[in-house]
Amino acid sequence: MRSLFFLVLISVCWAEPHPDNSSLEHERIIHIQENGPRLLVVAEQAKIFTHRGGNVTLPCKFYHEHTSTAGSGTHKIRVKWTKLTSDYLKEVDVFVAMGHHRKSYGNYQGRVFLRESSENDASLIITNIILEDYGRYKCEVIEGLEDDTAVVALNLEGVVFPYSPRLGRYNLNFHEAQQACLDQDSVIASFDQLYDAWRSGLDWCNAGWLSDGSVQYPITKPREPCGGKNTVPGVRNYGFWDKDKSRYDVFCFTSNFNGRFYYLIHPTKLTYDEAVQACLKDGSQIAKVGQIFAAWKLLGYDRCDAGWLADGSVRYPISRPRKRCSPNEAAVRFVGFPDKKHKLYGVYCFRAYN
């Protein structure tokens, strides 16, 4: 129930003559009206933008309609934050507060608390943002039998990139796709993230998994091998496929990082194993695919030297297109998956900051 009601009962009686019996029949007329102002929950902003490693406040305030009071004073206020999923019947518990009792859940433990800048402030502060925090959150306030909700979207600044393993295109089921992104310092992208990337110019002809289990791909330049040259630009949707049996590529999403990405200056070119050891010797680790994309997109990193990455691929980031270095577009150029034991390249390393 959203409001308390009181009932005014009025009995109306009359006698109707009956050949065999004389009796009273009663009819009740019920008048219903709301008892007091309705509880309202409001988010001052529908979307919040942040980045990995940052702190953010998801706004939420509650009050009673046509009044400035936060609560009735007769019931304790219960505040519950949940994260919505692509399955609208499921929600992930984030944080619950009632009186002096507080509880956080899952990987939010130790990172979330209420701002409580005023008696009607139910805003949630999330610290040390991680990639998995991206999504839509629901703030629910309950007072007695009244409750109301508001929804806030938490967006992360970052980059979407297509990924396929050494085995080649269309070799990942959904669960393998999720793990492939995690292995490259990223998470599987959502449709909204892919759509934003498409609007920013991402064009890729291979279909890939998204976080909701759909398979899609973004086209900015329609052409015959990619849906036909007479079609309109857009995000092509293959629909939902069997997560265990169907195999596609994947679109991953990553954000900025707390560390240093760099090309290791080394006197000679290296095999893959030598590249791994060279980064370790320099106090770092061989960089991951998500890190080269984040450095390129978010930091403008530019280097025309091909280098090994952790998955055994060789790539190089170009933010300033020029002759012999991606002359037509800014991009992370993909050389391939060379023979790890015999091919020689440079290496990109990553050193995390504590």
Side-chain angles (χ1 to χ4, degrees):
M1 293 181 60
R2 296 179 60 83
S3 302
L4 293 175
F5 298 91
F6 70 90
L7 307 180
V8 179
L9 307 179
I10 302 176
S11 297
V12 180
C13 308
W14 70 92
E16 291 185 1
H18 193 274
D20 299 323
N21 184 32
S22 183
S23 64
L24 291 177
E25 294 184 359
H26 300 276
E27 179 178 342
R28 290 180 174 177
I29 303 173
I30 301 176
H31 297 272
I32 302 174
Q33 85 177 58
E34 293 187 356
N35 181 21
R38 185 165 57 96
L39 178 69
L40 296 178
V41 175
V42 176
E44 297 167 341
Q45 293 175 262
K47 287 185 178 182
I48 302 295
F49 291 86
T50 187
H51 55 81
R52 178 165 55 176
N55 301 331
V56 70
T57 300
L58 304 183
C60 180
K61 289 189 176 182
F62 61 94
Y63 57 94
H64 284 86
E65 194 174 28
H66 308 309
T67 75
S68 59
T69 59
S72 65
T74 59
H75 300 282
K76 283 187 176 181
I77 300 293
R78 182 173 185 259
V79 176
K80 181 178 182 180
W81 280 91
T82 56
K83 186 180 182 184
L84 306 180
T85 68
S86 55
D87 181 349
Y88 293 101
L89 298 178
K90 296 180 180 179
E91 299 178 9
V92 177
D93 289 337
V94 175
F95 183 85
V96 175
M98 185 171 182
H100 296 295
H101 299 286
R102 303 283 192 273
K103 185 174 182 180
S104 53
Y105 297 85
N107 61 17
Y108 294 98
Q109 293 184 48
R111 297 194 299 122
V112 293
F113 54 94
L114 296 183
R115 182 172 63 181
E116 297 181 297
S117 63
S118 61
E119 64 178 4
N120 67 327
D121 187 8
S123 302
L124 185 72
I125 295 176
I126 307 178
T127 62
N128 191 24
I129 292 290
I130 59 177
L131 296 176
E132 291 81 359
D133 291 340
Y134 167 88
R136 297 168 65 242
Y137 291 79
K138 184 176 77 174
C139 172
E140 181 178 18
V141 178
I142 304 167
E143 182 187 22
L145 297 179
E146 293 187 81
D147 71 273
D148 196 20
T149 63
V151 175
V152 184
L154 175 59
N155 292 342
L156 300 184
E157 300 168 355
V159 57
V160 171
F161 61 94
Y163 187 78
S164 58
R166 175 178 286 274
L167 294 174
R169 70 194 291 262
Y170 296 172
N171 268 288
L172 300 169
N173 67 26
F174 178 78
H175 311 290
E176 293 166 343
Q178 285 183 309
Q179 189 59 51
C181 289
L182 290 174
D183 290 344
Q184 300 310 316
D185 192 43
S186 59
V187 292
I188 189 168
S190 70
F191 169 77
D192 289 340
Q193 290 169 332
L194 182 64
Y195 180 77
D196 288 343
W198 168 74
R199 293 186 62 187
S200 298
L202 180 62
D203 182 280
W204 196 254
C205 200
N206 292 348
W209 291 104
L210 296 177
S211 60
D212 62 357
S214 66
V215 177
Q216 310 195 36
Y217 65 100
I219 296 297
T220 59
K221 300 182 286 290
R223 51 202 183 274
E224 284 303 332
C226 306
K229 64 180 181 181
N230 295 322
T231 58
V232 297
V235 178
R236 307 273 195 264
N237 190 346
Y238 276 16
F240 295 88
W241 291 80
D242 189 306
K243 291 183 177 181
D244 296 311
K245 297 178 181 178
S246 300
R247 294 188 173 273
Y248 293 95
D249 292 348
V250 63
F251 289 97
C252 302
F253 174 84
T254 192
S255 186
N256 66 341
F257 44 70
N258 184 27
R260 178 191 172 209
F261 173 88
Y262 64 99
Y263 180 82
L264 179 65
I265 303 301
H266 195 274
T268 63
K269 299 298 184 181
L270 307 162
T271 65
Y272 176 80
D273 290 339
E274 291 170 342
V276 171
Q277 292 303 314
C279 287
L280 290 173
K281 187 176 180 180
D282 201 51
S284 305
Q285 292 183 330
I286 188 169
K288 299 179 178 181
V289 176
Q291 291 161 348
I292 195 172
F293 271 95
W296 164 73
K297 183 70 172 182
L298 305 177
L299 303 178
Y301 195 93
D302 182 282
R303 182 98 192 185
C304 200
D305 294 293
W308 291 106
L309 294 174
D311 67 338
S313 67
V314 172
R315 308 173 195 245
Y316 60 99
I318 299 297
S319 59
R320 300 187 303 275
R322 54 199 182 275
K323 188 177 181 180
R324 290 185 288 188
C325 295
S326 187
N328 298 321
E329 63 177 349
V332 174
R333 308 305 297 179
F334 175 63
V335 176
F337 286 93
D339 186 314
K340 289 183 175 182
K341 293 183 178 180
H342 300 102
K343 294 297 182 179
L344 304 177
Y345 291 95
V347 61
Y348 288 96
C349 303
F350 179 78
R351 181 181 301 144
Y353 297 149
N354 294 327

